[in-house]
Amino acid sequence: MTDMQSHAPELPAHIEETIQSISKMHAERRDGATPFRRGLSRATAVIANPAFIAGLIAIVGVWIGANYLLIALGREPFDPPPFSWLTGAASIVSLFMVSAIVAEQRREDQIALQRELLSMQLAIFNEQKTAKVIALLEEFRRDSPQIHNRVDRQAEELAKATDPQTVLGAIKQPEANPEEDA
């Protein structure tokens, strides 16, 4: 073990579990991807690159320019205006691009949902820990003979752990009665 490793602070078990869960999620995504899915991911990465857009503009410009040049030279253009071959190719490329982007976005949304759920679990756990710390401090204050005993309503409220189902119900309640917001 190196000197750096021996002095590295240990993470609490729940943090370590969360990190392992995130790592596992990314590994499963990477390892579970089919060759088609990996190809689709690479294709969307290429499509998202500004150089791809510049390349498309260049291809369209060369296509149109070559046809007009052939017309100017008195020769038969390979795709005369209104460029029906170019239009068809653009439609096919557009269909592929939209399908690839939508498929990849759906997969990214699933990963984002998993991350969101992990974050929510951590937030709930941290809220419970905070409530426990406040409760312990209040207990210490009540039990300590050196500290004047008084009622602290705010500390009492903060010491109560929040029930996630209650919060979810409160969030959904305005959605159930949209006419009340009007």
Side-chain angles (χ1 to χ4, degrees):
M1 188 175 343
T2 67
D3 187 45
M4 187 69 132
Q5 289 173 331
S6 64
H7 295 327
E10 288 190 32
L11 293 173
H14 67 281
I15 298 293
E16 187 66 38
E17 288 173 14
T18 302
I19 291 170
Q20 288 174 357
S21 294
I22 291 170
S23 295
K24 181 181 176 188
M25 179 179 64
H26 286 289
E28 286 174 355
R29 179 175 182 241
R30 181 186 62 247
D31 297 342
T34 63
F36 178 76
R37 176 66 71 188
R38 285 190 294 272
L40 190 61
S41 291
R42 281 191 293 274
T44 55
V46 168
I47 291 169
N49 190 328
F52 180 78
I53 296 170
L56 282 178
I57 292 170
I59 289 170
V60 169
V62 167
W63 185 288
I64 293 171
N67 277 290
Y68 278 122
L69 180 63
L70 288 172
I71 291 171
L73 295 174
R75 302 178 101 190
E76 182 74 26
F78 57 90
D79 187 21
F83 311 110
S84 58
W85 284 97
L86 178 61
T87 303
S91 296
I92 290 170
V93 169
S94 296
L95 179 63
F96 167 75
M97 288 172 49
V98 167
S99 298
I101 291 168
V102 168
E104 189 64 18
Q105 184 61 46
R106 182 173 179 267
R107 184 169 167 93
E108 290 298 321
D109 287 348
Q110 291 168 343
I111 296 296
L113 177 62
Q114 290 174 345
R115 283 187 197 123
E116 186 177 322
L117 291 174
L118 284 171
S119 294
M120 191 179 346
Q121 286 175 338
L122 262 179
I124 289 168
F125 188 72
N126 283 331
E127 191 276 336
Q128 291 170 342
K129 286 186 347 183
T130 303
K132 181 65 176 175
V133 167
I134 293 170
L136 289 172
L137 286 171
E138 282 298 296
E139 183 179 332
F140 174 74
R141 182 185 56 77
R142 284 190 303 272
D143 293 346
S144 177
Q146 293 89 7
I147 300 174
H148 175 63
N149 194 7
R150 62 180 171 75
V151 175
D152 187 340
R153 299 276 183 229
Q154 186 178 17
E156 287 176 1
E157 284 298 312
L158 292 173
K160 296 176 186 174
T162 304
D163 176 38
Q165 292 300 323
T166 304
V167 173
L168 184 60
I171 291 170
K172 288 183 175 180
Q173 188 176 8
E175 294 174 5
N177 301 319
E179 54 278 346
E180 290 178 10
D181 294 338

